[in-house]
């Protein structure tokens, strides 16, 4: 595997479910990010991790809970989501905090029913 | 609040035509990135511009950063179907933040 991978690629969940999104980067980067991309809206930065420490929580509701166990892995734990949370969730990594190029994964298309 | 506008929102052209898309703001930025996103994929960085008035070329794509570093343009010469995608501009908006526009969705017809 190379680059940034995300699983699952598609997820349908009910509002009472608990699920997790996984991101893995094989680039040796030190910073990782979660973005939300909704139809007709700009990419929204949700969380930023640098060297496994969270440095940004962009007023994201507590039903989204990130976890970064090491510099290669990033999770987004989901619980009691709302239909308006349906979106494409993108993970990205960069060599260091917001320097240079961000490499994005293919995203997880989430549908909340 | 920093407002970022990309235009046009949608563009459908024939193969071989030229086009320009724009990214405008009232704020001054230290740098700006352009990405292309294809369906089912994440955005891929095309270029970063840093200096006011800077022009960068990537094959048939020409990127320009405005003199005042508030706007940018992307010009594509002789567009090809492979250029189809969502073009996003992302100015640097803080120590480590980039903000993204809503993008220009380009479709190049063969």
């Amino acid at each position: 595997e190379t680059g940034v991978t995300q699983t699952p690629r598609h997820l349908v969940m009910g509002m009472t479910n608990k699920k997790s999104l996984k991101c893995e980067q094989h680039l040796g980067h030190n910073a990782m990010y979660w973005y939300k991309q909704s139809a007709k809206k700009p990419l929204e930065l949700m969380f930023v991790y640098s060297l496994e420490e969270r440095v940004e929580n962009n007023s994201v509701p507590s039903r989204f809970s990130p976890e970064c166990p090491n510099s290669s892995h990033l999770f987004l734990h989901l619980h009691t989501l709302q239909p308006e949370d349906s979106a494409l969730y993108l993970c990205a990594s960069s060599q260091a905090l917001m320097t240079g190029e961000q490499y994005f994964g293919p995203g997880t298309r989430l549908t909340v029913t | 609040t920093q407002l970022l506008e990309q235009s046009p929102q949608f563009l459908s052209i024939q193969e071989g035509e030229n086009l320009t898309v724009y990214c405008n703001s009232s704020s001054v930025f230290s740098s700006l990135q352009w990405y292309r996103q294809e369906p089912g994929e994440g955005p891929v960085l095309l270029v970063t511009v840093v200096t006011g008035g800077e022009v960068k070329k990537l094959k048939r794509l020409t990127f320009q950063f405005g003199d005042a570093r508030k706007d940018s343009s992307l010009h594509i010469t002789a567009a090809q179907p492979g250029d189809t995608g969502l073009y996003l501009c992302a100015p640097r908006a803080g120590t480590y933040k980039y903000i993204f526009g809503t993008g220009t969705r380009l479709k190049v017809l063969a």
Side-chain angles (χ1 to χ4, degrees):
Chain A
E1 289 278 12
T2 58
V4 181
T5 57
Q6 291 187 243
T7 54
R9 294 293 307 272
H10 301 272
L11 178 62
V12 179
M13 58 186 288
M15 290 190 285
T16 58
N17 291 159
K18 289 185 180 181
K19 296 285 184 182
S20 296
L21 310 185
K22 179 182 176 183
C23 174
E24 185 172 0
Q25 58 97 358
H26 309 267
L27 302 167
H29 288 169
N30 291 321
M32 297 187 78
Y33 315 84
W34 278 117
Y35 285 88
K36 176 184 178 182
Q37 187 175 32
S38 305
K40 299 182 181 179
K41 293 176 74 174
L43 263 75
E44 301 170 53
L45 181 63
M46 299 175 71
F47 301 104
V48 180
Y49 277 83
S50 177
L51 297 171
E52 301 145 48
E53 283 195 28
R54 191 191 310 179
V55 297
E56 178 83 17
N57 178 347
N58 239 5
S59 302
V60 179
S62 59
R63 56 186 184 268
F64 295 91
S65 175
E67 178 189 2
C68 187
N70 55 63
S71 59
S72 299
H73 292 86
L74 186 65
F75 295 89
L76 187 62
H77 304 299
L78 317 171
H79 66 97
T80 57
L81 294 191
Q82 305 298 312
E84 60 265 29
D85 297 322
S86 298
L88 181 68
Y89 289 84
L90 292 160
C91 172
S93 71
S94 63
Q95 183 62 50
L97 196 61
M98 283 291 184
T99 58
E101 181 174 358
Q102 288 183 71
Y103 290 79
F104 283 84
T108 294
R109 173 69 63 186
L110 174 67
T111 302
V112 182
T113 60
Chain B
T1 303
Q2 293 160 321
L3 296 176
L4 192 65
E5 183 179 355
Q6 286 193 247
S7 60
Q9 282 187 289
F10 301 95
L11 189 56
S12 181
I13 62 170
Q14 293 292 324
E15 182 177 4
E17 291 184 3
N18 302 332
L19 67 118
T20 303
V21 298
Y22 302 92
C23 175
N24 294 296
S25 175
S26 57
S27 301
V28 177
F29 300 108
S30 59
S31 64
L32 183 146
Q33 296 182 329
W34 282 94
Y35 288 81
R36 179 171 65 217
Q37 184 177 16
E38 298 185 18
E41 299 297 330
V44 175
L45 180 68
L46 297 174
V47 77
T48 302
V49 287
V50 179
T51 307
E54 181 177 4
V55 176
K56 281 192 173 178
K57 291 193 174 185
L58 182 66
K59 296 182 181 178
R60 294 175 293 99
L61 278 60
T62 302
F63 304 85
Q64 183 162 12
F65 201 13
D67 291 342
R69 290 184 285 124
K70 293 182 179 181
D71 52 79
S72 182
S73 63
L74 159 59
H75 182 80
I76 301 179
T77 303
Q80 298 177 2
D83 296 326
T84 293
L86 178 67
Y87 288 82
L88 299 163
C89 73
R92 190 158 188 162
T95 306
Y96 55 82
K97 278 189 184 182
Y98 284 90
I99 56 171
F100 284 79
T102 50
T104 291
R105 194 167 297 278
L106 172 66
K107 187 168 185 178
V108 182
L109 305 170

